[in-house]
Amino acid sequence: MSLLEHIDSPADLKALSRAELKELAGEVRAFMIDSVSKTGGHLASNLGVVELTLALHTVYDTPNDRIVWDVGHQTYVHKILTGRRARMGTLRQTDGLCGFTKREESEYDAFIAGHSSTSISAALGMAAAAKLKGEDRRCVAVIGDGAMSAGMAFEALNNAGAMDANLLVILNDNEMSISPNVGALSSYLTRLLSGRVYNSMRRQGEKLLAGLPAIHELAKKAEEHMKGMVMPGTLFEEFGFNYLGPIDGHNLDTLTATLSNLRQLTGPQFLHVVTQKGKGYQPAEANPLGYHGVGKFDPDLGISTKAGGQPSYTQIFGDWLVDMAAADPKLVGITPAMCEGSGLTRFAEQFPERYFDVGIAEQHALTYAAGLACEGLKPVVAIYSTFLQRAYDQLIHDIALQNLPVLLAIDRAGLVGADGPTHAGAFDLSFLRCVPNLLIAAPSDEAECRRLLSTAYRHDGPSAVRYPRGTGPGAKLAGDLDGLPIGKGTLRREGSKIAILAFGAPVAAALAAADQLDATVADMRFVKPLDRDLIQTLAQTHELLVTVEENAVAGGAGEAVAEALAEMGLSKPILHLGLPDRFVEQGEPAVLLARVGLDASGIETAIKKTLAD
């Protein structure tokens, strides 16, 4: 029987020898590769933190000690070690394990995560709470180097240093930017500097020199200079942290010894750990980006890179961006660290001087776009719906208030399947619709997506085009850059008594339901401005109006229709169909849409029920 089969909780790790822990690391990697190959998920990032996760759960007393994982896409090892190994086959599946951390799922998940750069703030709050409540526990934030680019991470570092909190921040550096520092000398120095003897001498020295300000300052500068010669920690020291590292994140001996020392120290501590994405699986080591998020694959063959098949909405956008950039030299493309996910790869290759990846910094991305627009350029910001939430003030204050021509290409609108509620674009129509000056479009198919992107791009003011994850109904694409009349929808089917006003992707399901009900279907295309003439005509010629959208009903497109009817003085029964007032968990997209009543059958059933009542 393998060692892994005996690990049901972190307590089991503490009985293992160092040699057994190293053997267990290999078993965990093999298990994880096999498991993810069957479910899909984040692979390279998880392979990179095997030893770090083992060391953390060996040294710390979890769940009493809190470990907060930033983003949560590197927590598969954590799940395996905390009693969820047997359920890993359900990862990211309907009614299965979440792909990220989730408090309801396990007492070992201290904080939900799906967006980046929240870990330090959350762990700091937990450390402050422990102090206030008089509880003896340690709080650790594990954050990647990419997530450190966000302003929120630095806000938390600044606050933590000022509070003198008992907090350990672990920087998981997997870009190997400072690899020359990783070696025997660096590891030795880190163990030395994290030890109690050095830190006791440091504190006593500070007390002794406190009455001699000039000498105290000289000693402090000398210590900083010595550390700066062998480690890049000056920035974090300035924040008030005791910086240690960098150390090899795959060396269990060094990790456990250093963490054991750090657990005994008080005040803000910062440990810099260098790891390799994809560690232990050669294809992922060679192509960590390709193995960041994977579908099902054969571990012996690796992931398939074959092209072909129906293009996704993301690909439609990427191709449109390249074509429009070729036609307009003023176009610039911006992404907050989601080049591949948002479809900007071709654009970045063909127009590198007009491509800007600003890092995981959504707020900065929008204000940066505003600055470009002020100087006459035409920015296109490619951003996930759920990430746009993080830049709401910048959208209102920096873009909309100045009526700047910035196009938001909003990917992952609506439900997103396996990624679940942390990534579901359930609210963008609701929070965008109330913003003045903003044009909002929702294409129903691939051809309409391309044309509405052109329409919005040419609009003299801020605009947003929202489209779902994955593929559409398969509409034939044209290669031109023609637009559509702003604020005008179109009738896709004419029927009697019932009129379905559909916004975006649900048009296909609405058409299928309408065939069973002999209903009229309007592809509304625009959420703002609405096609008020079409709404008025449908209200005057039908007995029941039905709005359908893959967005929260509260504040969404359906409510915009109801408001328009009220303003026109028209009283008409209206049924609003959309996402429910709850977070929708992960699962197969078709199953999720059926559960919330947004498939053809659900729309038909809801309409029949309304007619019967």
Side-chain angles (χ1 to χ4, degrees), residues 13-361:
L13 297 174
K14 303 180 190 303
L16 299 181
S17 67
R18 198 63 54 82
E20 287 173 321
L21 278 176
K22 294 175 183 177
E23 182 182 343
L24 180 61
E27 292 183 10
V28 168
R29 277 199 172 85
F31 175 86
M32 189 160 52
I33 292 167
D34 179 70
S35 178
V36 175
S37 74
K38 294 180 173 67
T39 63
H42 294 95
L43 185 58
S45 55
N46 282 286
L47 289 171
V49 295
V50 172
E51 287 83 5
L52 176 59
T53 309
L54 283 168
L56 280 168
H57 279 299
T58 299
V59 171
Y60 284 85
D61 179 26
T62 56
N64 180 63
D65 288 340
R66 313 298 198 215
I67 300 176
V68 181
W69 300 88
D70 210 274
V71 182
H73 67 294
Q74 78 282 46
T75 55
Y76 296 2
V77 184
H78 164 77
K79 288 175 184 280
I80 291 168
L81 299 176
T82 53
R84 288 168 276 182
R85 183 182 71 253
R87 295 188 63 208
M88 287 298 290
T90 71
L91 187 74
R92 294 162 51 88
Q93 312 298 307
T94 306
D95 300 324
L97 290 178
C98 177
F100 305 97
T101 48
K102 185 178 180 182
R103 281 164 54 86
E104 296 89 342
E105 187 177 287
S106 171
E107 63 179 337
Y108 291 94
D109 290 0
F111 199 74
I112 193 169
H115 292 183
S116 82
S117 316
T118 63
S119 60
I120 304 175
S121 298
L124 177 59
M126 293 172 187
K131 183 177 181 180
L132 285 170
K133 294 161 69 177
E135 295 173 344
D136 181 22
R137 68 165 45 96
R138 295 292 181 265
C139 298
V140 181
V142 184
I143 184 169
D145 53 343
M148 282 297 294
S149 67
M152 186 175 178
F154 284 93
E155 291 171 11
L157 287 173
N158 183 57
N159 191 200
M163 289 178 63
D164 195 34
N166 292 331
L167 171 70
L168 170 61
V169 175
I170 299 177
L171 173 61
N172 176 28
D173 180 357
N174 49 35
E175 290 301 320
M176 304 303 288
S177 57
I178 43 96
S179 55
N181 289 316
V182 180
L185 176 60
S186 177
S187 295
Y188 171 75
L189 285 171
T190 299
R191 289 198 298 272
L192 175 68
L193 296 177
S194 67
R196 285 197 234 182
V197 173
Y198 169 80
N199 281 275
S200 177
M201 291 174 60
R202 188 174 187 250
R203 286 192 298 271
Q204 293 301 320
E206 287 178 345
K207 290 180 181 179
L208 181 65
L209 298 176
L212 304 169
I215 299 177
H216 179 263
E217 186 63 25
L218 178 63
K220 182 179 178 183
K221 293 292 184 183
E223 182 191 37
E224 289 177 355
H225 180 68
M226 181 194 73
K227 282 188 173 184
M229 291 174 63
V230 293
M231 58 189 70
T234 305
L235 172 65
F236 303 107
E237 294 275 1
E238 291 297 326
F239 274 117
F241 281 77
N242 177 38
Y243 174 91
L244 301 166
I247 63 172
D248 183 354
H250 301 297
N251 187 319
L252 270 167
D253 293 333
T254 299
L255 282 169
T256 52
T258 302
L259 289 172
S260 294
N261 286 335
L262 286 170
R263 194 176 183 280
Q264 307 305 314
L265 301 181
T266 59
Q269 309 293 325
F270 193 101
L271 176 62
H272 189 162
V273 174
V274 176
T275 61
Q276 180 183 11
K277 286 182 179 178
K279 179 71 173 179
Y281 182 50
Q282 196 281 325
E285 289 182 6
N287 182 18
L289 187 59
Y291 282 84
H292 173 72
V294 299
K296 299 176 183 180
F297 68 99
D298 184 333
D300 294 328
L301 300 177
I303 59 174
S304 172
T305 57
K306 292 181 180 178
Q310 187 177 335
S312 67
Y313 278 103
T314 302
Q315 291 172 291
I316 299 296
F317 163 72
D319 291 341
W320 169 84
L321 189 67
V322 169
D323 293 343
M324 185 59 81
D328 186 355
K330 291 184 178 181
L331 185 151
V332 291
I334 302 167
T335 176
M338 293 302 295
C339 178
E340 293 77 16
S342 293
L344 272 71
T345 304
R346 277 189 61 213
F347 176 80
E349 292 171 350
Q350 296 187 32
F351 302 96
E353 73 286 355
R354 291 153 65 183
Y355 164 73
F356 302 99
D357 184 343
V358 301
I360 302 177

Side-chain angles (χ1 to χ4, degrees), residues 296-521:
K296 299 176 183 180
F297 68 99
D298 184 333
D300 294 328
L301 300 177
I303 59 174
S304 172
T305 57
K306 292 181 180 178
Q310 187 177 335
S312 67
Y313 278 103
T314 302
Q315 291 172 291
I316 299 296
F317 163 72
D319 291 341
W320 169 84
L321 189 67
V322 169
D323 293 343
M324 185 59 81
D328 186 355
K330 291 184 178 181
L331 185 151
V332 291
I334 302 167
T335 176
M338 293 302 295
C339 178
E340 293 77 16
S342 293
L344 272 71
T345 304
R346 277 189 61 213
F347 176 80
E349 292 171 350
Q350 296 187 32
F351 302 96
E353 73 286 355
R354 291 153 65 183
Y355 164 73
F356 302 99
D357 184 343
V358 301
I360 302 177
E362 294 87 358
Q363 294 172 300
H364 165 60
L366 265 65
T367 303
Y368 178 64
L372 290 166
C374 283
E375 299 303 317
L377 297 180
K378 295 276 290 192
V380 178
V381 181
I383 190 167
Y384 289 8
S385 171
T386 187
F387 297 157
L388 179 59
Q389 296 164 183
R390 312 185 82 182
Y392 193 48
D393 179 63
Q394 287 67 34
L395 168 63
I396 295 173
H397 183 271
D398 301 335
I399 294 176
L401 183 62
Q402 302 184 90
N403 201 29
L404 294 172
V406 175
L407 167 58
L408 304 176
I410 305 175
D411 203 335
R412 270 64 166 180
L415 301 180
V416 292
D419 280 339
T422 58
H423 285 63
F427 312 108
D428 55 83
L429 292 184
S430 300
F431 68 70
L432 292 176
R433 194 171 67 80
C434 60
V435 179
N437 295 333
L438 186 62
L439 180 150
I440 309 170
S444 63
D445 60 37
E446 300 90 333
E448 199 167 88
C449 183
R450 185 176 172 92
R451 297 186 72 185
L452 285 175
L453 284 165
S454 295
T455 305
Y457 178 76
R458 295 190 177 105
H459 175 61
D460 188 20
S463 59
V465 178
R466 56 112 64 177
Y467 43 89
R469 182 178 191 173
T471 57
K476 184 178 180 181
L477 289 168
D480 56 48
L481 295 169
D482 291 344
L484 290 165
I486 290 178
K488 293 297 179 183
T490 183
L491 286 179
R492 297 286 294 272
R493 187 188 192 280
E494 294 194 45
S496 61
K497 295 185 179 180
I498 306 161
I500 304 175
L501 291 71
F503 295 84
V507 167
L511 285 167
D515 287 340
Q516 304 301 314
L517 300 165
D518 189 27
T520 295
V521 176

